[in-house]
Structure formats: structure tokens, C-alpha cells
Amino acid sequence: EYRSRCDEAARLTAAWCGWPINPGSEQQLKAWLYGVDGLPPQTNRASKSKVSVDDDAIAALRQRYSLPFDPDDEERHPPTVDTALDRVLAGGHGVLEGRAIYARSKQLTAHYLEPLAGRARVYPRTAIHTQANGRWSTTEPPLAQLPESLRDIIQPDTGTAWVGWDWEAIEPRLLRGYARSRFLADVFEKGLDLHTIGLCDVMGWKYPSDLCRPHADSAWVEAHQWQGKDDKRRRLAKVIRYKKYYGGNDASDIPGIHLLQLPKARLKHAGELILTSDPDLRVWMRQTSASVAKNPTVRDFTGARRTLLGSKGQAAAREALNFPMQRGVQSIANLAAIAIKQAVPDAIYAWSMHDSQQWQVSLERLEAVLATIQAIVERAVTVNGIEIALPAKFVVTR
């Protein structure tokens, strides 16, 4: 199926151009997009000077010169030729759409499907030493990037199940403790909609009358054509918030940000706007950035340390803001893994994706151990003297 998508993507680009352009050829793509079509040349993020048609460049061009798309949706559900044709007929750019299908299909085929074809079992390699923030790295195959549509290619052994989970808003919860944030305390204790609040701050909107259930304010819903929790503008506010948490401020380069219809000058300061409701966090971020300029060492709530070797100025500040959150999440994951193995010795660590883990247990023991695993995963931690709850969503894969 994915090989055929590559072939059809090539036919789509050929039909658009009038000659058989190769969507996998960097030289031909540059010649057509920047030469024939005259689109503004994009540069490689690393070199900041080399003209590029890499994935980031194509995504930026698609958002501006084809039709807007949701990167998260495409990550979970890779685009098909049918969806590309619909986008082209609606005014999209045939080469950009064809290239997106070709590149994603080629990646999934080369990284997952071809190496795994005919194999009855995989033994993923888990490395705990490769990332500065302590996160585990899963390779051979790289399961952390496995899209939802392909996750059924790996399954538990017969007679067993995987118990997996995702912690809910774990990084903002940790920030509540680090910054002693009264705003985040209210959000989690009262169940407020964090990202709708953030969107209102960025847009300059009045808050809905019910910050737990914005959809209950019919006048507010009508005024802003609100689509609920799946509203793409709310998702963009979430992206802006997390970018700010990690030391960024400028939202103008976020894919799909044009949906907010804000002037670039306002987007440049969107990170600060997102903190309008949270002065405690703003103070903590400034203090952390200033502290690391004097002493290039930063720790998470468990005491895990990172010394910022070679990082200066804004780069050091970003790393100082990143580490307490990312390492804090991984410390929680490490402690959970140890506790699960101690409490349920017959459970087997299977694999992990980002901050979640999958543990294999026998179907006979599933009912008996599930509550134990859930209690370990959701046990509270203490950050800066504040008890932080860690709710999680669990999924059992049989």
C-alpha cells in the first residue's frame, strides 16, 4: 500500500508539472518549486543558509502556498492520494501535496515495513544514556515515531496483554510545583480548561463564563464559532504554551498559526501573552534563566543534575527551562518502572513511546495486577513542598 502511494504521488506531481518530475529528487524539487513556480526559497534549520526542500521546508510551503493542514493529524494518520487530490481540487499545490505523500510513505516503508516484513518478533533496543534529559531512546525499530495507523504491526504475545498509559498534562503539573503557580493550582484543582484560557489570552478575548465547560456559554461559543476541545485554534494555543515553557516566545513559525489571523507582531510575543494568567510562572522562568547565567547547573525535583557544558546566553536559558520538566517526567517514569517490577515481578517491560510505557502481563494475571500498576503510575510526587497529583489514561492492548 505504501509503495503504491509513492508511485501515485509521482504520478500526481507529473500530472501537475506536465513532465515526470521525481518527488524524491532534491534537485528537481528545488528547480520546480523555487525556479519554475517562484516560491520563496526555504533554508535548512541547522545551517540557516542552505536552500532546502527537506520536510520542514515542504511543511512551511504547504501551510502558506497550498492549503493549511494539521501536522499532528498527519503524524497520526499519514496522508493518502485521495486526500491529496481533494486538497489539490480545493486549490492546493500538486507538487507540495505529492511530495508530502511521497516522503512520508517512503519513510514508513524504509524505517518500519521493509525491515520488519517477514519477522515474527522484534527486540527493540532501549538506551537510557543517549539523551541529555534522560529520556529513553527506542530503536530497531524506532517505535516512538510509529504512527497510529501502523501500531497494530506489533502486538503482545498470545495469552498476554500490554498495560500502557499516558500521564495527563504532566509537565504543567510539575511546573505548578516548581513555580508555586497559583494559576496552575486553580486549573488542576477546579478542572479549568487550560488551553482555552491560553487561547483567550493570545487572542485578547473575554473568557467564557464557565472556564470548566466553555461550550456551556452559548453567547461566547457563537461569538467565536467555537468547535469545542477539538477546535484547531485551541490546539495552536496549546502549542504556543508548550513552546513558551521550553523557552520560546515567537509563535509566527508554528505550522497552521495563520488560523489565528493575528498580526506577526503579536505572534512574536505570543509566548508572553500565554503567561498573562500566570505571573508566578513568569517570575520562575526569569529567575531560572538568570540563575543559570551565574551557575550553569540545573536540577529536577528529585535532584537529578545537568551541567550545561558549552551553552551560553539564550541557549543555556532554554536548556535550563527544559531540564526540570523533561528530566522530571523521566524521573517519574524511571521510578514507576522500578516500582512496577518490584511489585509485579512477572511483569515484563515491553517498549515505550515518549513518556508512556508498555508492560506485558499474562491475561490470567491482568485483573489481579492492573490496579497495582495503576496505583504506582498515579501516585503523587512532591515538588518544592507541594504534592502533585499524576492522573493517567490507561490502555490495555490484548
Side-chain angles (χ1 to χ4, degrees), residues 94-347:
V95 174
L96 295 176
E97 298 304 321
R99 162 65 179 176
I101 296 172
Y102 182 90
R104 185 68 168 141
S105 300
K106 201 76 173 175
Q107 177 199 41
L108 295 175
T109 303
H111 287 186
Y112 299 107
L113 300 177
E114 288 174 348
L116 299 182
R119 295 175 60 180
R121 177 175 292 274
V122 294
Y123 298 88
R125 174 176 176 169
T126 299
I128 63 172
H129 63 283
T130 58
Q131 299 190 45
N133 57 24
R135 282 185 171 177
W136 299 356
S137 173
T138 306
T139 56
E140 302 175 19
L143 296 178
Q145 287 79 43
L146 193 63
E148 287 183 15
S149 58
L150 290 181
R151 289 181 195 170
D152 60 351
I153 65 177
I154 55 169
Q155 298 182 10
D157 288 315
T158 301
T160 71
W162 285 336
V163 177
W165 66 87
D166 273 311
W167 281 290
E168 297 180 22
I170 188 170
E171 291 175 344
R173 290 177 187 276
L174 287 179
L175 280 177
R176 172 195 173 183
Y178 286 132
R180 294 184 173 274
S181 168
R182 289 164 290 183
F183 166 71
L184 289 174
D186 262 359
V187 165
F188 296 121
E189 289 169 7
K190 298 178 181 177
L192 308 182
D193 188 331
L194 177 63
H195 302 306
T196 297
I197 293 173
L199 178 62
C200 291
D201 289 340
V202 170
M203 301 297 293
W205 293 347
K206 180 182 177 181
Y207 291 152
S209 58
D210 188 341
L211 285 174
C212 298
R213 302 181 307 126
H215 57 276
D217 186 339
S218 57
W220 186 88
V221 167
E222 184 177 355
H224 301 298
Q225 298 298 298
W226 187 242
Q227 303 298 314
K229 284 203 169 184
D230 293 329
D231 195 300
K232 292 183 178 180
R233 295 167 298 178
R234 180 181 179 276
R235 184 192 65 80
L236 288 168
K238 178 179 178 180
V239 175
I240 296 171
R241 178 176 295 278
Y242 279 89
K243 184 171 185 177
K244 180 59 179 178
Y245 285 172
Y246 290 114
N249 198 44
D250 182 359
S252 62
D253 60 350
I254 293 175
I257 198 66
H258 65 279
L259 289 175
L260 299 186
Q261 298 181 337
L262 291 175
K264 193 168 184 178
R266 190 172 180 87
L267 291 174
K268 287 280 186 183
H269 303 286
E272 278 298 311
L273 294 172
I274 210 84
L275 293 186
T276 301
S277 303
D278 199 346
D280 297 325
L281 183 55
R282 181 185 280 115
V283 169
W284 177 81
M285 296 178 78
R286 289 175 179 169
Q287 289 175 341
T288 300
S289 299
S291 173
V292 79
K294 300 176 182 177
N295 177 15
T297 300
V298 63
R299 297 177 184 268
D300 79 345
F301 74 96
T302 69
R305 180 185 67 179
R306 182 179 178 192
T307 301
L308 305 177
L309 301 175
S311 297
K312 303 291 183 182
Q314 190 59 32
R318 283 196 297 269
E319 292 180 28
L321 295 172
N322 289 352
F323 186 81
M325 285 187 291
Q326 292 192 350
R327 177 63 207 210
V329 173
Q330 190 56 49
S331 291
I332 292 169
N334 292 350
L335 294 170
I338 294 168
I340 289 171
K341 192 62 182 176
Q342 289 175 337
V344 190
D346 55 323

